[in-house]
Structures are given as structure tokens and as C-alpha cells.
Amino acid sequence: MLVTVLGFYGGYPHNGIGTSGYLLQNDGKKMLVDCGSGVLNALANYMNPTDLDAVILSHYHHDHTADIGVLQYEWLAAKKEKLLPIYGHTQDFVNFAQLSVDNATKGIAYNDYEPSEIDGMKFEFLRTVHPVPAYAMRITDKNGKVIVYTADTTYFDGLVDFAKDADLLIADTNFPEDVTGRKAHLNTKEAGTLAKDANVKRLMISHLPQTVDAETMLSQSQKYAGDIPVVHAFQGLEINV
Ligand SMILES: [Zn+2]
Ligand SMILES: [Zn+2]
């Protein structure tokens, strides 16, 4: 599996770089995991967006879905015979309904009690703790390689089991370590500790803040991750799993 970062800021784009979006390529299939602001522009540097095989959305906050509407227009304009499948949860029926547009895209429901088979990969979902329903993803390819994406979440114990032994953990790391207490995202201490407790092979911190530099976020996370290699997301970062 090859992951390419198309956008990594939390909340809103910054300095020409967008919010959450990851291109996932495996066995000739091309999938988009989350589709935030600026992601469609970034995606076009790698492929024609109308050649996507699927989109999988963690939740319906705008920083993860802002470019879905324009992606649907691009598919509509391309007059493709195939509808683009967009996977989303159904805990919010209004937003789920908007994933389907006639002659362009089709919303497909996932849930957290049975895995979804998407383009030859197994997607398992776990409801996170966030102000709106959001789902972490555990993605397994046919060789048994595993990517876990926390989506947006505050820290909770279930994340450790869900991320266990993953080859790559992509963690929502929106806060430095001194931001504690009730919050909607992980801080660097929690992301690093999660990577260590789950014994993952690599950690990518993402969903980064605009106001704290990435190197600071990285060194804080690394301190808690111990021997596990940590990278911070940046535009165009590619990780082969
Ligand atoms: Zn977010
Ligand atoms: Zn969110």
C-alpha cells in the first residue's frame, strides 16, 4: 500500500496546504481517504480524479469533506458510466444522503460491526470519541499489511487494541502536549503513547495545527513514542507499507 499525503491541517487550510486527505494506492486501485479543503487540487497532481476507485470518509466535519461537492461535479462533468462509490457512516442521514448524486456518485454505508471489503482491502471501523460521529479505520491488504487511521478523536483506551501492531499509524495530532483535558483531538503525548502502547511499526502525526511548528510537534511525539519512528505529515509525503 502506498499512502500519499494530500492535505494535513486540522480545521482549515493554511499557506496553500489543505486539510485532511490521503491517497491510498494498492494493487492498481486508487482510493481517497477523507476529502478536505484543497485535496482535489492536490490529488490532480497525481492522477485524474475521475479515475478514483473509491472515497472513504471518516466523518462529516468540513475539514474532511469540503471537496466532496466539487469532486461530485467533476464526476458529473466527466459523464462516466461508473458511479464513484463514496463510503460514509449513517449516523448522520442528512450528510450520508448527500454522498449520492445522480449520474456521478453513490453513497455506501459502512458500520463498526462488520468489516467492509473495498477494492480488495479489508476496512474495519471503530467509532471514536468526537463531537460528531467519526470512525477510525483499520485497513488490511491481501498481504496482511495494516494501516490504521485514527480519524478525529480524543484519547480513549479502545484505540490501543484497534491500532495493535499496525505497520503504519496515522494519528490525529492536533495539539501540543501542554493542551490537556477535554478536547476533540489527540495531543502529541497521546499520539506518541498510543503508537508505543499499540506497538505499531511507524507513526505519522497528521491533522496538525497551523500555530505550532511541525518539528516541535514531531519531537514531542517522538519523546513518547520511544523507539518507534515518527514522521510529521507534509504535502506530498509518501509512505510505502
Ligand atoms: Zn478534522
Ligand atoms: Zn472532526
Side-chain angles (χ1 to χ4, degrees):
M1 292 183 280
L2 178 67
V3 180
T4 305
V5 175
L6 302 175
F8 60 83
Y9 279 119
Y12 55 95
H14 182 62
N15 281 342
I17 295 171
T19 61
S20 294
Y22 308 92
L23 172 60
L24 174 61
Q25 300 182 77
N26 180 55
D27 257 357
K29 298 292 186 183
K30 296 171 163 60
M31 283 150 276
L32 188 57
V33 175
D34 282 342
C35 187
S37 173
V39 165
L40 195 57
N41 252 331
L43 178 65
N45 293 326
Y46 299 92
M47 61 177 289
N48 185 333
T50 60
D51 289 334
L52 276 172
D53 292 289
V55 179
I56 304 98
L57 298 177
S58 62
H59 65 306
Y60 303 119
H61 270 156
H62 297 299
D63 55 328
H64 300 254
T65 61
D67 276 4
I68 283 290
V70 286
L71 176 62
Q72 289 170 323
Y73 289 158
E74 188 163 1
W75 270 69
L76 206 51
K79 296 187 168 41
K80 307 265 296 189
E81 224 158 84
K82 181 195 166 203
L83 301 179
L84 172 66
I86 305 180
Y87 291 80
H89 68 69
T90 54
Q91 302 303 306
D92 173 340
F93 282 110
V94 173
N95 277 302
F96 179 74
Q98 291 179 355
L99 302 183
S100 295
V101 166
D102 284 352
N103 304 314
T105 62
K106 179 179 169 45
I108 299 178
Y110 64 68
N111 60 58
D112 54 3
Y113 50 87
E114 59 183 354
S116 296
E117 191 75 23
I118 305 176
D119 291 324
M121 307 165 84
K122 182 169 79 169
F123 280 70
E124 295 166 282
F125 297 92
L126 177 72
R127 174 90 179 252
T128 71
V129 179
H130 198 54
V132 299
Y135 288 82
M137 303 174 199
R138 184 179 176 99
I139 307 164
T140 307
D141 74 6
K142 67 174 199 291
N143 301 315
K145 295 286 187 183
V146 174
I147 296 172
V148 170
Y149 171 44
T150 65
D152 284 8
T153 187
T154 190
Y155 185 83
F156 66 102
D157 286 341
L159 286 170
V160 175
D161 262 355
F162 193 68
K164 206 76 190 168
D165 300 325
D167 295 280
L168 173 65
L169 172 65
I170 303 173
D172 162 14
T173 314
N174 203 51
F175 297 118
E177 62 184 326
D178 59 349
V179 177
T180 57
R182 219 179 135 83
K183 52 190 170 38
H185 305 278
L186 305 179
N187 66 21
T188 49
K189 178 180 180 179
E190 291 162 333
T193 304
L194 170 61
K196 189 174 179 164
D197 290 350
N199 190 39
V200 303
K201 296 204 175 54
R202 263 184 293 183
L203 167 64
M204 183 208 296
I205 58 169
S206 194
H207 205 283
L208 296 174
Q210 292 81 358
T211 49
V212 182
D213 72 72
E215 291 304 325
T216 301
M217 297 293 286
L218 178 65
S219 65
Q220 288 182 8
S221 303
Q222 187 67 71
K223 186 170 65 185
Y224 295 102
D227 295 337
I228 293 158
V230 186
V231 290
H232 66 74
F234 58 85
Q235 195 76 351
L237 169 63
E238 295 189 330
I239 296 186
N240 217 328
V241 173

